[in-house]
Amino acid sequence: MRIFFCVLMLIPVLGMAQDKIITTKVDEQEKTKVKVSNEIVTTRSDSAGIKRFTYWEKQNKVSFDFSQLSFVHWNAGGANSVSGLAAAHFNRNYMRDSYFWKNELIGRYGINNQEGQETRKTDDLIQLNSNFGYRTAENSDWFYSSKFTFTTQFTPGYAYPNTTKPISTFFAPAYLFLGVGAEYALKEKQFTLYLSPLTQKSTFVLDQALADAGAFGVDKAVYDAEGVRIRKGANSRTEIGFFINTQWKNEIYKNIILESRLNLYSDYLNKFGNIDVDWMIKTDFVVNKYVRANILAHLIYDDDIKARKEVNGQSTIIGPRIQLKQILGIGVVYEFK
């Protein structure tokens, strides 16, 4: 399964080998975009002065947010702390004639260290998105489309302060969505709406202890009267349902960029109408090319994810709850092609 994941990670970079070379000499490096029919063509010049035309748009962005608190004889009290959040975002998008193929790889990882307690994780995400579309009418904004999404995390997560038993880890869970449908895309407004009446959702829990406990909706282990396991917990679960995805990104005011991503999913066979929600809203405040502040809010509701609460020193399952995460950071960002 780890080999399978590594192969998936290579998909966004396949566009690197797709350039069509035209031997035209230029005086210096340049990069422009021209529109040919309905195709977006990017023009580049390499170090040898050879002009290259490609139907691929490429974007790479890495960032690091940092915050620190320090107290010396501070009368009001306080605890020294330091936190950091590293993020990477890579895009490889292809569009020619009536076809498009969009690929996106996102990674985030954050930690916090506060005096008097262990280092704790604040953010953890690996996400790969791939979307292929075809339209039958040249000027239409509607595409027949298929969409693939894979999500997991880097390291174990804990219900702090309990750090003896992880409640999640790499590939536990991992979510895979694969479906077909239609997409409405307005490139100039950076808005897309994807509707899929047929999407497979697969949940993987490869940590056997979590699988035996029935975490993330998989079938839990079966034990006899003496507590001996007679059947292991399932390591995966498959659902078929209806999926909606919307994405929107716009500069709502000078140097203020708002981005919204919303996923809605409902299983046809298990509690149809019970909707899983995954909604992320991010606002970037651009200071200059390399410095920006951002506010991120992430809301999740999934009936298969049971929340835990510390009761008398014991971690107790209390059922599904709305999950909410908010991050405010300021840091440096570097973008390159």
Side-chain angles (χ1 to χ4, degrees), residues 15-26 28-34 36 40-58:
M16 291 183 176
Q18 305 298 319
D19 292 345
K20 179 173 71 175
I21 301 176
I22 299 179
T23 54
T24 304
K25 289 288 183 177
V26 295
E28 58 183 4
Q29 290 192 354
E30 61 180 6
K31 183 179 179 182
T32 59
K33 289 182 180 178
V34 296
V36 181
I40 300 299
V41 182
T42 300
T43 306
R44 290 192 185 89
S45 297
D46 60 17
S47 58
I50 299 176
K51 186 176 292 186
R52 297 174 181 268
F53 293 89
T54 175
Y55 295 101
W56 288 88
E57 288 185 307
K58 307 172 185 177

Side-chain angles (χ1 to χ4, degrees), residues 3-20:
I3 296 175
F4 170 71
F5 174 70
C6 292
V7 172
L8 291 178
M9 298 281 280
L10 295 176
I11 292 177
V13 298
L14 293 179
M16 291 183 176
Q18 305 298 319
D19 292 345
K20 179 173 71 175

